[in-house]
Amino acid sequence: MKRLTALISACLIVILLLPVTALAAPSDGFAARLAGLESHIRSTQLAQSLQSDQPDDWAVMALARDGALSRADQAAYLSRLQSRKDLSGTALEKAIIALKALKQDPTNFYGRNLIGELGRDTSLNSANSFSADIYALVALNAYEDKLPANAVNTPANLIQKIVSRADPNGGWGYMDPPAHIEADVDTTGAALAALAPYQNRPDVRNAVNKAVQYLARVELPDGGFSNYGENSDSTAEAVIGLTSVGVDPTAGKFDKQGRNPLNILYTYQSGKGYRWQPGFSEDPMTNDEVLKAFVAYKVFPGGGKLFAFPTAKAAAPVEMKPASGLGQETASGKSAAAVPSAIASSSARKAVTAGKVSSTRDTIPTVPFSEIASHFAAEKTGSGLLSKAESVNTRPENKIAEKSPLAAAAGNKENTAQTQAAQSTAVNPVLLIIGILVVFLGAALLIFRKAIWRRRT
């Protein structure tokens, strides 16, 4: 009888743990979604871009941050980057950030001091938006002591610029003064990521707090965010920005009865990739944005930040691949040379008015750049910085793509899809009820057994 009682007790303990396990286990398939997107990007847009002269810097960065970039792809990227002699502006900034993710030393990249080059790059001052300052701060973080004495871009002056341009009500807009542009989600997420490593400064801490409050105010009831209509890029930027400054985008004020910025991103899935808005097809730029947001959230619970890269030491040598293959056939059957134009046309579908800043993330916390569009579109301009006139009809490198009125009209997602995404993270109430009933029944059986045992003794 004692053995039977012990057996019943053990079973009860196991049963009692079932509801707890149900609460702790992620039921929304987050890990599978991340792995699926990484695999899709590696086999399609990254593979194609590595055969062109416009490699996908943000995909390389995000995959490397998650340890999901193969050595072959790393070698191919470094080879392409080594052959580029015209790096400047945001193209240079992206290259530095990617190198940091790859644990390469940007102060000695095959004899080039890219940190020094960015420090002396005066093209940032001629940009039509101050997103270049945001990305420069991300790139230069942790390398302040490596800047030349004549540097015009330093973390100190970049921080001052960014903080001084904050909207009085919180957040940041994409244009430089004197133009008054109200805060938007994409630029705010990017700025949060860039400023995150410097929150020990009172002025930065104050600007960050106001920006978080701004994001909380403008979050939509379904957990998403809007910038020219509700869209995935802006929502992804919010996730990156919030996690960069230590705020959980799925809890507290950002949880809308089970709906939040993370699970609302699931509703934008299109095939194996993601779309910018309903009605659009899969977009490589959006794939990069969502990937960065997913990686940012994956490392967040352990205190990690998307752009918190270890300082490069003696990185393991990577065998370089020859920078050949332009015009060769890719796995998709398209020539590599055609890839950038395909991505550019994807941007064009989204463009309408002046572009907005995308997010960025830095060592410690940094935000993804909605600018993802940038990485292909801007390089076509040579310097990576578009003129004001050009920015009206394209999604420039430093700016967040503009969303067309038609796209904005399609921006409201069906409640059914959003509800399903939100419910996917909730605990099954039936399982909880069953667990509770089993526990009570088991306890009653145990009491009954003890009563019988006492009578017999």
Side-chain angles (χ1 to χ4, degrees):
M1 180 61 70
K2 289 183 177 181
R3 291 181 179 178
L4 180 61
T5 300
L7 181 61
I8 293 175
S9 299
C11 291
L12 287 176
I13 292 174
V14 173
I15 294 171
L16 184 61
L17 290 175
L18 284 177
V20 177
T21 302
L23 283 168
S27 59
D28 61 353
F30 171 77
R33 292 176 189 275
L34 171 58
L37 180 57
E38 288 178 332
S39 176
H40 178 59
I41 289 176
R42 283 194 303 266
S43 63
T44 55
Q45 65 191 67
L46 178 60
Q48 295 171 19
S49 76
L50 290 177
Q51 296 187 52
S52 74
D53 59 352
Q54 297 177 8
D56 191 338
D57 303 284
W58 298 139
V60 168
M61 182 279 297
L63 290 169
R65 181 66 179 87
D66 195 34
L69 186 71
S70 70
R71 287 182 65 82
D73 285 343
Q74 177 179 343
Y77 175 76
L78 293 176
S79 179
R80 288 294 177 188
L81 190 59
Q82 183 187 16
S83 66
R84 295 198 58 188
K85 307 301 181 184
D86 60 341
L87 288 173
S88 66
T90 52
L92 176 58
E93 294 164 358
K94 291 184 300 177
I96 292 174
I97 295 169
L99 287 175
K100 290 164 72 173
L102 292 170
K103 301 181 182 178
Q104 301 292 312
D105 185 358
T107 67
N108 185 21
F109 181 64
Y110 293 92
R112 293 182 65 181
N113 182 356
L114 300 182
I115 294 294
E117 291 181 22
L118 180 57
R120 293 187 295 267
D121 191 347
T122 58
S123 70
L124 273 61
N125 298 325
S126 62
N128 293 318
S129 77
F130 84 109
S131 62
D133 294 329
I134 292 175
Y135 302 144
L137 183 57
V138 173
L140 295 177
N141 177 252
Y143 285 91
E144 292 90 336
D145 58 338
K146 304 295 184 181
L147 286 167
N150 62 343
V152 294
N153 303 307
T154 66
N157 63 37
L158 291 169
I159 291 171
Q160 191 278 328
K161 286 182 182 180
I162 296 171
V163 171
S164 67
R165 294 171 187 173
D167 188 295
N169 296 317
W172 286 267
Y174 70 96
M175 289 292 289
D176 274 341
H180 176 68
I181 302 295
E182 293 183 355
D184 64 76
V185 176
D186 302 72
T187 309
T188 298
L192 282 175
L195 292 174
Y198 308 97
Q199 294 182 77
N200 59 321
R201 292 180 42 152
D203 57 339
V204 171
R205 183 70 254 172
N206 181 56
V208 166
N209 287 338
K210 286 186 176 181
V212 171
Q213 293 170 9
Y214 160 76
L215 290 178
R217 287 198 308 272
V218 300
E219 183 183 11
L220 300 175
D222 63 7
F225 287 89
S226 175
N227 189 2
Y228 290 86
E230 186 174 1
N231 67 85
S232 57
D233 288 15
S234 298
T235 303
E237 291 292 345
V239 170
I240 297 169
L242 291 171
T243 54
S244 294
V245 295
V247 177
D248 188 344
T250 68
K253 64 183 73 175
F254 293 98
D255 174 45
K256 305 297 185 182
Q257 297 182 331
R259 301 178 180 184
N260 59 65
L262 183 70
N263 61 34
I264 202 63
L265 282 175
Y266 303 163
T267 66
Y268 291 94
Q269 187 163 0
S270 175
K272 295 181 179 180
Y274 287 78
R275 69 187 73 188
W276 173 59
Q277 280 184 335
F280 283 83
S281 59
E282 176 192 342
D283 180 16
M285 293 175 282
T286 295
N287 284 344
D288 284 355
E289 282 296 305
V290 174
L291 174 60
K292 290 189 292 182
F294 282 178
V295 173
Y297 188 73
K298 178 182 177 179
V299 302
F300 173 74
K305 312 294 180 182
L306 178 63
F307 290 95
F309 308 126
T311 301
K313 294 182 180 178
V318 177
E319 181 181 356
M320 300 284 283
K321 288 187 174 182
S324 60
L326 289 178
Q328 294 178 357
E329 291 290 317
T330 65
S332 67
K334 297 180 180 179
S335 70
V339 174
S341 61
I343 295 177
S345 64
S346 173
S347 300
R349 289 197 305 271
K350 297 182 179 181
V352 148
T353 59
K356 298 224 168 201
V357 171
S358 84
S359 332
T360 88
R361 291 207 170 256
D362 188 18
T363 70
I364 287 205
T366 293
V367 186
F369 323 166
S370 295
E371 232 193 92
I372 275 177
S374 74
H375 57 124
F376 293 109
E379 290 189 274
K380 301 185 78 172
T381 68
S383 67
L385 299 173
L386 299 180
S387 68
K388 186 173 184 179
E390 291 173 316
S391 70
V392 174
N393 294 313
T394 58
R395 183 178 184 176
E397 169 131 350
N398 294 327
K399 302 173 183 175
I400 279 184
E402 292 303 307
K403 324 307 184 186
S404 68
L406 178 62
N412 294 325
K413 299 176 192 43
E414 295 188 8
N415 291 333
T416 300
Q418 295 173 332
T419 302
Q420 289 174 346
Q423 290 176 343
S424 67
T425 60
V427 177
N428 190 331
V430 176
L431 180 60
L432 287 175
I433 294 173
I434 292 176
I436 294 172
L437 289 177
V438 171
V439 169
F440 277 113
L441 290 175
L445 179 60
L446 183 58
I447 294 172
F448 178 71
R449 285 289 184 181
K450 286 184 177 182
I452 294 177
W453 176 256
R454 288 175 183 172
R455 289 182 182 178
R456 291 183 178 180
T457 56

